[in-house]
Amino acid sequence: MSKSLLIVESPAKAKTIGKYLGPDFEVKASVGHVIDLPPKKLGVDVTNGFTPEYEVIDGKQKVISDLRKAAKGKETIYLGPDPDREGEAIAWHIAQALGKDHNFKRVLLHELTPTAIREAIANPVTISKPRFESQQTRRILDRLMGYLISPLLWDKLKRGLSAGRVQSVALRLIVERERAIFAFVPEEYWSLTAEFLTEGRTFSAQLHKVDGKKAELKNEEQTMAVVEAVRGAEFTVADLVNKERRRYPLPPFTTSTLQQAAFNRLKMASKRAMRVAQDLYEGIDVAGEGQVGLITYMRTDSVRVNDQAAAEAMSHIKENFGPDYAPAKPNHYKNKKGAQDAHEAIRPTSILRTPAMLKGQLETSHWQLYDLIWRRFVASQMTPAVLDQTTADLAVDKYIFRATGSIVKFKGFLALYEFGKDEEKELLPPLVKEQKLKPEKIVPKQHFTQPPPRFTEATLVKELEGNGIGRPSTYAAIISTLKDKEYVDAAKGVLKPTEMGFAVTDLLVKNFPDIMGVDFTAGMEENLDQIEEGRAEHLDVLSRLYNPLAKDLETAKAAMANLKRDGLPAGVDCPSCKAEGSLNLRYGRNGFYLACRECGATCDFERDEHGVPHPVDPPPQEAVGECEKCGRPMVIKKSRYGHFMACTGYPECKNAKPLANPVEGGPVTVDTPPPIPEGYPTTCEKCGSDLVVKKSRQGTWFISCSGYPKCKNAKPFPSGIKCSKEGCDGEIVERSSKRGAFYGCSKYPKCRTIIKGKPVNTPCPACGHSFMVENPKAKTDPDAPPLICPSKTCQAGPEPKA
C-alpha cells in the first residue's frame, strides 16, 4: 500500500506526476474545486462578518468520497493544486473535506519535471491562510457584485445578463473606445516626399522642418506652395549622422504577454491559448518519455528565470548559434511594479526539447504555442541585435527634408525571434556633407488622421494589465464571458460592443459610479495582494469595498432606468408625430427598438458612423383612432410578427388589434376576426368563460378562452370541411408551425392528414372528392384552373394522369 497521497487538480497532471513518484505515492485528482458558494443563492451573510456558506459542488460528492477512501491509512497527504490563489483555496477545502485527523502538507509544483516534482515533495510548505483569504475575499466580492447587481439588470433589461467586478469594467473600456471612434473628427494633413537618384540608387526624403520648426502641412494650398518653392531647386546634404543602434530582446512570457503574442502571431483567442498552455503544463505524451510537462506554470506575471534554466539556454545558444550570440552572463529582467513573483516566467521545462524534436508529436495548436514559448525564452537569453542607422538632412532654402535608413549588422536574438517585417531597411546610398542633389520628383500626398483602433483581444489584455485591472490569469475568462453574453461582437478579430453592451454599460456606469471606476477595480487588486502578503485583514477589505456597492445598490433600485418600460433617451426625433428628441431606446422581445414618448409609435433603428440611431422601417402612418377601452390614441406598432394597432396607454391599457397587410401611406385596416360559426359552442367547457376568436403569431385564426392566461383552452378555427380520410370524423382546419400556416386534420395526432393549399368546400366534379383546394399557379397563369383536387389519383389533381 502506498504510504503517501498526493492530490492535484486534473487527471492529466496526476498521470504526469504519478510516473515519477513510484509506488510510495498514490496520486489522485480533485478535478478542480470541490467546495464553493451555492449556485442558486447569495451564500454570503453580509450582516455577520461576510460569512460564506460553502457547500459541496454538485457532482463532486463522489470525488470527495474517493479521496476519503484514498486517504485512509496514509501517513501524509500532500496537496498539490496549482500554485496560485485558486489552487490554495482548492487545497484548503480539500483539507476541510477530508478532516483534521490527517497530516497535510502543501506542495507547489511550478513545473512537472522529475527534479522539480521531487524537490517540491522534499520541501513542502503549510497551506497559506492569507493566500486562501485573498481568494475568498475575491470570490465573495465577485459573488456580491454578480448576485446583487445582475438581478437588477434582469428586471430593467433582460434575464440572463451578468455584471462582474472586472468584466463590467472591461466592457466599459470597449464601449468608451467605440464612443471615442464615434466622436472622432478626421483632420486633413499632407506629406511631401522628395525622391532622389544618386550613384544608380534611389532614396526618398520627407519634409521634416520649415524655418527650424516641425513641418505641418494642413491642406493642399500649403503643400503646393512648398512644392512650387522647391521644384527644380538644388538640395544640399546639410547634416549626416551615422550611428550604431542596439535592439534588446524581450523578456520571457508572462500570462498576459503570452495571450497577446498568441493572438497577434497565431490568431489564437485568449481562452484557447490558456487551454493549450494548461495542457502543455500538465503533460503531453512525448516519444521515449511518456507523459511529460513541457512548460512551467502558465499563470504568472513574473519575468524571473532560475539560474539553471538560464544556464541551459546559454549553453544551447553557444552550441547552435555561436559564442557571439550568448552574453557573458545570463540576462535578468525586472518585474513590473505590483507583479507577483511567486512563479517564474513561462518557459520550456527543458531547452533540449526543441520544437523541431516535437514536430508531429503535438497537435498543431499545441506545437505552435510551444514553439512560440520556446523561441521567446531562448531569445531572451541572447545578445542584442546591432543595427547601422543613417540619418541625412537635405536642405533647400528654409526647408529640411529628412531621409533615414538602417540595416541589421548583427542579428543577435533576431536570428530566433523576429519582431516584425520592418526590422530591416535598406541603407541610404553613400552621401557626404555639402553634397548637391536634385530630386527626380516631388510627391505630395493627402492624409487624414485616423480614429483610435478598436480593441483586439491582445490590446484589451494589454490595456487591462496596464491599468492594474484584474489578474492576467482571469483575462481569458473575462473576454470569453463578454462574447458569450453577446456584449461584444468579435468579428474580424476586433471587439465591437453590441447594443446590449452599450445598454448594460450605460446602466451600470450611471448607477454604480464607484465600482465601475477603473481606479476602484485596480485598487481592489492591490487590496487582494495585501491580504495575500499579510499586510491587510480580509474583513476590513470586504467592508471597505462593500460599503460603496451597498450604497449604490439602494439608489439604483429606485433610480435605474427600465429599458423594458421606459427606455433611455436616444435624442432622435419621432418619424410619426415629429416630436423633437422624443424617441427612447427600449428593449423588448425582439431586441432593441425606438419608442416615442409622445405618441407611443415604435420603429427599428440603425446607428450611423457617429453612433446616432436613425429610425428605419417606421410605422405605416401616424396615430389612428381612439382606444374603445380607455379613450387614448391608438398607434401603429411593429413586432416580430408584423404591424399591429395598440393603445398608447400601454402597459396600463393592453388593447391591441392585428392589421390586415398595412401599406405605407395607405388606409389602416383592422384585421377583423371571423365570427364563431353557428352551432359551435360559445362558452369554454373547462371554465365557463366566453370563447373568442384570436390570431396566432403565425397568422392563423383560432378559438380561445377569454379567461386566458388562467384558462389556456384553445382550438383551431372550424372550417366545416370534413377530413377525407376514411374512418376519421375530424375536419380540415388551419394550423400553424414554426414554418408558417398549413392545413391539416383537427384530430391530429391521431390523424396526420395534411392538405397542400387552402381548402374550398366544393366537391370535385371529376372524382367526387369532398373538397377542392386553391391552385397556387392561378395567381400567375390566367389559363390555370382556380381549383384543383387534392387527390393524387384524380385527373383534376395537381399531377393529372396522361
Side-chain angles (χ1 to χ4, degrees):
M1 181 178 177
S2 303
K3 296 179 182 179
S4 301
L5 172 66
L6 171 61
I7 301 173
V8 294
E9 284 177 276
S10 76
K13 193 173 177 181
K15 182 180 177 181
T16 302
I17 295 171
K19 72 172 190 173
Y20 295 135
L21 293 180
D24 288 341
F25 274 86
E26 182 178 2
V27 185
K28 303 285 283 184
S30 70
V31 196
H33 285 272
V34 294
I35 291 174
D36 198 5
L37 297 173
K40 295 184 178 179
K41 60 179 180 178
L42 182 61
V44 178
D45 188 351
V46 296
T47 62
N48 187 26
F50 299 96
T51 304
E53 181 186 331
Y54 287 119
E55 63 179 37
V56 177
I57 297 171
D58 189 31
K60 290 299 182 75
Q61 291 84 355
K62 186 177 185 305
V63 173
I64 292 178
S65 177
D66 291 344
L67 293 178
R68 284 173 178 164
K69 289 179 183 177
K72 285 183 179 179
K74 297 294 192 297
E75 294 179 2
T76 305
I77 297 177
Y78 292 92
L79 302 174
D82 288 348
D84 57 14
R85 290 174 187 164
E86 292 300 314
E88 209 70 24
I90 293 172
W92 184 281
H93 288 141
I94 290 174
Q96 285 186 325
L98 298 186
K100 300 179 180 179
D101 299 332
H102 300 283
N103 177 27
F104 292 106
K105 293 183 178 181
R106 178 79 165 107
V107 292
L108 303 176
L109 301 164
H110 299 287
E111 57 182 278
L112 302 187
T113 59
T115 302
I117 293 169
R118 294 188 184 105
E119 186 176 336
I121 294 292
N123 299 281
V125 297
T126 58
I127 300 176
S128 171
K129 186 177 181 181
R131 180 176 285 183
F132 165 69
E133 288 179 339
S134 176
Q135 187 276 344
Q136 182 173 253
T137 301
R138 194 274 308 160
R139 186 73 183 94
I140 289 173
L141 283 168
D142 286 350
R143 173 55 64 96
L144 291 174
M145 283 196 65
Y147 274 56
L148 295 179
I149 298 178
S150 296
L152 264 180
L153 294 176
W154 298 1
D155 181 52
K156 307 294 185 180
L157 186 50
K158 179 189 176 185
R159 287 193 66 83
L161 298 179
S162 69
R165 175 178 59 90
V166 179
Q167 164 199 314
S168 298
V169 177
L171 177 59
R172 179 181 183 177
L173 292 174
I174 296 171
V175 168
E176 289 181 345
R177 175 62 60 87
E178 191 70 16
R179 287 198 164 125
I181 295 171
F182 287 155
F184 182 80
V185 179
E187 292 184 5
E188 181 185 13
Y189 71 97
W190 287 69
S191 63
L192 195 58
T193 304
E195 295 185 0
F196 299 90
L197 174 64
T198 180
E199 297 191 9
R201 293 171 60 184
T202 60
F203 71 97
S204 60
Q206 283 202 330
L207 180 63
H208 180 57
K209 287 184 178 182
V210 180
D211 277 336
K213 297 179 180 178
K214 183 179 177 181
E216 290 186 0
L217 302 176
K218 297 182 178 181
N219 52 52
E220 185 177 11
E221 185 180 356
Q222 289 180 349
T223 306
M224 296 314 295
V226 179
V227 171
E228 291 302 319
V230 302
R231 192 191 303 275
E234 208 173 40
F235 286 66
T236 302
V237 179
D239 194 17
L240 194 63
V241 178
N242 295 294
K243 63 180 180 180
E244 186 178 271
R245 185 169 64 90
R246 293 175 178 267
R247 185 148 200 181
Y248 292 88
L250 294 171
F253 283 129
T254 61
T255 304
S256 66
T257 55
L258 175 63
Q259 291 179 46
Q260 293 172 52
F263 182 85
N264 290 330
R265 290 174 177 258
L266 306 177
K267 303 305 176 188
M268 192 180 290
S270 298
K271 183 178 181 180
R272 175 66 177 158
M274 291 305 292
R275 178 65 261 173
V276 172
Q278 181 92 29
D279 294 342
L280 294 173
Y281 162 70
E282 291 181 348
I284 293 180
D285 280 323
V286 174
E289 295 186 82
Q291 187 144 328
V292 60
L294 296 178
I295 65 170
T296 56
Y297 190 55
M298 66 288 160
R299 294 188 178 94
T300 177
D301 51 7
S302 171
V303 292
R304 176 176 56 84
V305 173
N306 72 48
D307 293 339
Q308 182 180 347
E312 188 181 53
M314 291 181 67
S315 176
H316 177 87
I317 293 165
K318 290 176 182 176
E319 184 176 340
N320 291 274
F321 292 89
D324 291 341
Y325 286 81
K329 58 182 181 179
N331 293 331
H332 292 285
Y333 298 90
K334 187 177 180 180
N335 282 323
K336 292 183 178 180
K337 183 180 179 182
Q340 297 180 342
D341 197 40
H343 322 298
E344 286 187 65
I346 303 170
R347 61 169 177 81
T349 52
S350 173
I351 294 299
L352 301 181
R353 292 191 198 94
T354 64
M357 290 175 56
L358 298 177
K359 186 82 169 178
Q361 297 192 57
L362 307 182
E363 294 179 14
T364 301
S365 57
H366 289 71
W367 184 86
Q368 288 176 331
L369 196 66
Y370 180 79
D371 178 66
L372 191 64
I373 293 169
W374 189 92
R375 287 176 179 275
R376 175 73 168 246
F377 172 64
V378 176
S380 74
Q381 294 302 316
M382 297 176 76
T383 51
V386 181
L387 294 86
D388 277 338
Q389 181 172 296
T390 302
T391 302
D393 285 346
L394 291 87
V396 53
D397 194 16
K398 60 181 180 180
Y399 306 105
I400 300 291
F401 284 71
R402 174 164 289 182
T404 58
S406 63
I407 193 168
V408 176
K409 184 179 179 181
F410 174 70
K411 278 199 165 186
F413 77 96
L414 289 176
L416 189 60
Y417 193 87
E418 293 283 351
F419 268 97
K421 296 179 180 178
D422 60 343
E423 286 308 311
E424 188 169 332
K425 296 179 181 178
E426 186 180 356
L427 278 174
L428 299 176
L431 299 172
V432 294
K433 269 194 174 185
E434 303 303 325
Q435 183 178 348
K436 305 296 183 181
L437 297 168
K438 273 197 173 184
E440 295 291 302
K441 56 183 176 179
I442 304 292
V443 182
K445 190 173 182 180
Q446 183 186 40
H447 307 272
F448 291 93
T449 54
Q450 297 297 309
R454 291 188 176 99
F455 285 111
T456 64
E457 289 193 23
T459 56
L460 181 61
V461 165
K462 186 176 182 180
E463 185 79 7
L464 292 171
E465 186 183 36
N467 284 291
I469 300 171
R471 280 291 171 204
S473 58
T474 66
Y475 294 157
I478 289 165
I479 294 171
S480 179
T481 300
L482 293 178
K483 292 190 287 188
D484 292 343
K485 292 293 181 181
E486 297 183 351
Y487 292 158
V488 300
D489 179 14
K492 298 181 180 179
V494 297
L495 301 175
K496 182 180 179 181
T498 61
E499 287 298 334
M500 186 64 72
F502 279 116
V504 168
T505 298
D506 289 344
L507 290 176
L508 293 180
V509 169
K510 184 174 181 179
N511 294 278
F512 296 92
D514 296 316
I515 61 176
M516 282 294 287
V518 171
D519 293 340
F520 178 92
T521 308
M524 180 180 162
E525 294 299 334
E526 187 175 343
N527 287 322
L528 294 178
D529 292 343
Q530 291 174 352
I531 295 171
E532 182 173 346
E533 295 161 6
R535 295 188 289 116
E537 289 292 330
H538 73 286
L539 290 180
D540 292 341
V541 172
L542 280 169
S543 297
R544 190 165 65 251
L545 297 178
Y546 174 71
N547 288 337
L549 170 61
K551 174 187 171 185
D552 290 343
L553 192 64
E554 285 303 311
T555 305
K557 286 179 180 178
M560 183 181 281
N562 190 322
L563 267 75
K564 295 179 183 177
R565 184 189 64 215
D566 305 318
L568 294 171
V572 182
D573 299 346
C574 176
S576 292
C577 68
K578 312 304 179 186
E580 186 176 349
S582 63
L583 291 185
N584 276 6
L585 180 69
R586 288 172 56 177
Y587 184 80
R589 185 178 298 174
N590 301 330
F592 289 94
Y593 64 98
L594 295 177
C596 180
R597 299 189 297 272
E598 300 296 330
C599 72
T602 62
C603 59
D604 296 330
F605 70 96
E606 58 186 21
R607 293 184 183 270
D608 63 16
E609 67 274 15
H610 303 297
V612 178
H614 286 279
V616 296
D617 193 18
Q621 66 178 61
E622 300 177 13
V624 287
E626 288 186 357
C627 175
E628 64 271 20
K629 292 184 178 181
C630 69
R632 281 175 281 202
M634 297 285 283
V635 294
I636 306 300
K637 293 189 176 183
K638 184 184 178 185
S639 74
R640 72 172 76 178
Y641 308 107
H643 291 91
F644 65 99
M645 185 187 297
C647 179
T648 54
Y650 181 85
E652 291 82 8
C653 178
K654 297 183 180 179
N655 186 22
K657 299 178 180 180
L659 296 179
N661 301 319
V663 178
E664 188 170 352
V668 176
T669 306
V670 176
D671 203 356
T672 306
I676 296 177
E678 289 186 18
Y680 196 91
T682 58
T683 58
C684 177
E685 66 271 22
K686 292 186 177 181
C687 70
S689 300
D690 291 339
L691 292 176
V692 294
V693 179
K694 294 183 178 180
K695 199 171 192 179
S696 73
R697 292 173 176 175
Q698 286 75 26
T700 60
W701 296 108
F702 66 98
I703 295 178
S704 171
C705 179
S706 60
Y708 180 86
K710 291 183 179 179
C711 178
K712 298 183 179 181
N713 186 24
K715 298 178 181 180
F717 193 85
S719 65
I721 301 175
K722 300 297 182 181
C723 179
S724 58
K725 186 175 181 180
E726 187 176 351
C728 178
D729 60 350
E731 65 177 3
I732 300 301
V733 294
E734 188 176 12
R735 293 169 53 197
S736 58
S737 70
K738 292 180 179 179
R739 296 182 179 180
F742 68 99
Y743 295 89
C745 183
S746 60
K747 294 295 184 179
Y748 177 85
K750 289 184 179 180
C751 178
R752 296 178 178 269
T753 297
I754 294 176
I755 304 300
K756 294 182 179 180
K758 184 177 181 179
V760 179
N761 201 3
T762 300
C764 176
C767 70
H769 194 278
S770 60
F771 61 89
M772 303 278 278
V773 297
E774 292 181 352
N775 186 359
K777 294 183 179 180
K779 295 180 180 180
T780 56
D781 184 1
D783 297 328
L787 300 177
I788 55 176
C789 182
S791 174
K792 295 182 179 180
T793 60
C794 179
Q795 291 185 355
E799 296 178 1
K801 292 184 177 181

